[in-house]
Amino acid sequence: MKPQHVVSADAWTAARRDLLAREKAASKAREALTAERAALPWMAVETSYEFDGPDGGVTLGDLFEGRGQLIVSHFMFAPEWEAGCPSCSFWADGYNGQIAHLNQRDVSFAAISRAPLEKLLAYRKRMGWSFTWVSSGGTTINQDFGVAFAADDDPSPDAKNYNFGTSRFNGPDAPGFSVFARDGERIYRTYSCYSRGLEILNPTYHFLDLVPKGRDEAGLKFAQAWVSRKDEYS
């Protein structure tokens, strides 16, 4: 690739210091936003969800594994699909190495998808993952948390069904993350994010944001048109 602007060491350092000041301001703004996120009110989860796990039935409470907090990946994998969503898989490639560290901070992690358990486990093995993954089966958790839509859902572009009613998602499944906390047997929803709110949870994007080309997605049919499952790149 061709250099875009070559300067002396002193000029480069000066430009980097200018950017550093703005990066520090952005970090402080992010810290303030993080505090606001932690201060959100909680919503009691009134529905008793039971999932299909490798060892049988698993409740939402079981997914906490005795800890006080739980992060759930709403992983796009519709029952009729033979493989998980490539974009969700792109995110999932970063999960395994994080879980031991999350556990040390009183956080458990699990993925939940609508596909049958045997498909989930076969795909997990193919991709080399080991994180907890359960099938939501006949439960309504995907619909309740805004990541699955009925076939007769209003197809008009103005019918906003995603990201808290701010956008339209066309398809049976959508991606998202939800965070839960528990107090004894009571479970609460403390946070959910969708759409571009998911980017904070993708380490590859943060690495790409450091390089000159960035994410290099300009001109693509859609932003993630370049993304494939990791074993499908040529």
Side-chain angles (χ1 to χ4, degrees):
M1 57 185 292
K2 294 182 179 180
Q4 60 183 5
H5 186 199
V6 178
V7 297
S8 68
D10 287 345
W12 186 90
T13 300
R16 180 64 188 92
R17 283 176 176 167
D18 286 344
L19 180 60
L20 178 61
R22 294 193 292 277
E23 287 176 335
K24 288 183 176 181
S27 293
K28 289 184 180 298
R30 185 180 64 246
E31 289 169 0
L33 188 61
T34 297
E36 291 184 39
R37 184 183 298 118
L40 275 173
W42 294 7
M43 183 189 80
V45 177
E46 304 292 355
T47 303
S48 179
Y49 300 107
E50 182 167 333
F51 313 109
D52 187 13
D55 298 318
V58 180
T59 66
L60 184 62
D62 292 333
L63 295 179
F64 281 80
E65 298 177 332
R67 300 182 181 91
Q69 302 166 102
L70 170 68
I71 297 174
V72 164
S73 165
H74 299 292
F75 192 117
M76 293 171 63
F77 201 145
E80 64 274 16
W81 297 355
E82 294 305 317
C85 162
S87 292
C88 288
S89 301
F90 176 32
W91 261 252
D93 284 331
Y95 297 162
N96 278 354
Q98 305 299 321
I99 293 173
H101 305 292
L102 291 173
N103 291 169
Q104 288 301 309
R105 306 313 301 157
D106 194 33
V107 181
S108 290
F109 178 90
I112 297 176
S113 301
R114 293 195 302 127
L117 182 65
E118 57 269 23
K119 286 188 176 182
L120 303 183
L121 297 183
Y123 188 62
R124 185 177 69 172
K125 181 178 180 181
R126 166 187 163 182
M127 302 305 287
W129 302 329
S130 59
F131 54 81
T132 299
W133 201 353
V134 297
S135 171
S136 55
T139 76
T140 61
I141 192 169
N142 301 78
Q143 292 83 359
D144 296 346
F145 284 77
V147 291
F149 313 103
D152 58 355
D153 188 31
D154 186 344
S156 66
D158 292 334
K160 297 178 179 179
N161 60 0
Y162 186 53
N163 201 10
F164 305 104
T166 62
S167 63
R168 173 76 187 174
F169 194 93
N170 294 307
D173 281 36
F177 279 82
S178 290
V179 180
F180 302 90
R182 68 182 304 170
D183 177 23
E185 297 303 311
R186 295 294 291 161
I187 296 175
Y188 301 89
R189 181 187 191 181
T190 66
Y191 184 72
S192 290
C193 62
Y194 309 94
S195 193
R196 292 201 66 178
L198 306 177
E199 290 184 6
I200 193 174
L201 298 163
N202 188 315
T204 300
Y205 267 152
H206 296 297
F207 277 107
L208 290 175
D209 287 344
L210 300 178
V211 301
K213 286 187 178 180
R215 302 182 187 186
D216 201 19
E217 295 176 335
L220 298 179
K221 186 176 180 180
F222 58 93
Q224 292 179 17
W226 64 274
V227 173
S228 291
R229 301 173 183 92
K230 64 184 178 183
D231 61 356
E232 294 177 345
Y233 286 115
S234 57

